[in-house]
Amino acid sequence: MAAEVFISVTPRDPVIARDGRPFGMGQGNRMRSLAFPVPSMTAGAVRTLIGQLADMRFDEKDVRELKNISVSGPLPCYKGKLFFPAPADIFVYESSSGSEVQRNHVRLRPSQMKPHEGTYPPLSVSPILITNDDKPADSAAFWSSDVMGNWLADLDIVTPPKEQNIDDGYMPPLKQDIRTHVKIDPKLYAAEESMLFSTSGLDFTVQGSTEPLEVSLRVETDRGETAEKLATLGLFNPLGGERRLTLWRGQPNPGWTPPQPVNEAFGKGVQAVRLILATPAVYRDGWRPDWIAPSDNVGIPPHSNVTLKLMSAIVNRWQPVSGFSFERGKTGPKPIRRMVPSGSVYFFKVMQGNPMDLLRDCWLRSTCSGPEVANDGFGLGLWGAWRI
């Protein structure tokens, strides 16, 4: 059985996490950033570090062995508590009554079509309808594990406030540190060709707090020596573009287990479950998980024996992911793939099996079928209840 090790990564500088748009000489002069590092970025950094600690030569055999190491994450971690992307099945809005502005939310759930209603083209799943006429309001980007636990258990939560405070369980989006770079031609006293460009990095500092915002990772490896080295880790290591420095440390499990409210809800017996993506997913069939048969929308999630029927889904616009391969013989830009965004929600009806098995076997495990994307940590799943 593979050993589990947890690592915290504390950025010292803004982290460069490029999106898939072209950048470089003759391609573009503005480097844009993703909203949060993607799993393949942290998985590659972990495997490179493991290879360096083991004095590997990074030949074909070493690379194959490193790719078999499962790396899950990245997830934000603050004061020893995990945060998750805000789910897409909440609609936050503001309504005014005189000079007073009230902030509320509604839960988004699959709708039942009436006999005379329909969609074109016909949908194989039930639509999600928003009956509220108010415009959506800005909301937190990440929720603490406490808030998410109540939401997954279908319990009441406080409406995410307009001014988000991470100590209250609601974390705003990471700020972007934009820097402009230029190289002056000493003869012309002007910028050299293609030497005026800007970069954007993710700022992990928390305003008004001395506690750092970290990134939490879970590593599973069969190599006992590697697990011991990672558990006692304490060093600076580069992460992302421009080799910006981050502090890597072994840490106790900060909460990669189901919250108590979710355990209690499932313990009472549930007939319908929700899957919320904690990290972006890469599915072969686009928005639909690979293990769901398109013919009847029925399937069994990886690592599980519970049969589920897909009833509906809330999936935001796809996101591009690319990267740069340093593997020998394959050095160069990676092809662009389309990701299902984190926070996307899938609604299922339980057809067969015990839903508690989903919490035991599938909590924060990859829902992707491909071994490479699963080992990279794409498509980590949070499981919750809902009422049909």
Side-chain angles (χ1 to χ4, degrees), residues 63-133:
V63 171
R64 187 167 55 249
E65 183 177 345
L66 289 169
K67 284 186 174 180
N68 286 330
I69 296 175
S70 172
V71 182
S72 302
L75 296 175
C77 186
Y78 181 70
K79 294 184 177 178
K81 184 173 296 186
L82 288 183
F83 280 70
F84 301 108
D89 62 341
I90 185 172
F91 177 74
V92 180
Y93 64 95
E94 293 178 344
S95 57
S96 57
S97 175
S99 59
E100 185 178 355
V101 177
Q102 294 184 333
R103 195 173 172 88
N104 296 295
H105 71 272
V106 295
R107 298 172 188 271
L108 302 181
R109 294 291 182 265
S111 302
Q112 295 296 326
M113 303 281 279
K114 297 178 181 177
H116 62 281
E117 295 179 338
T119 63
Y120 184 82
L123 294 175
S124 59
V125 294
S126 300
I128 305 286
L129 302 179
I130 302 176
T131 56
N132 194 303
D133 292 333

Side-chain angles (χ1 to χ4, degrees), residues 281-294 298-302 346 367-371 373:
V282 179
Y283 295 132
R284 183 182 59 244
D285 298 332
W287 68 272
R288 186 194 307 270
D290 308 336
W291 40 275
I292 294 293
V298 174
I300 300 176
Y346 295 87
T367 57
C368 302
S369 299
V373 292

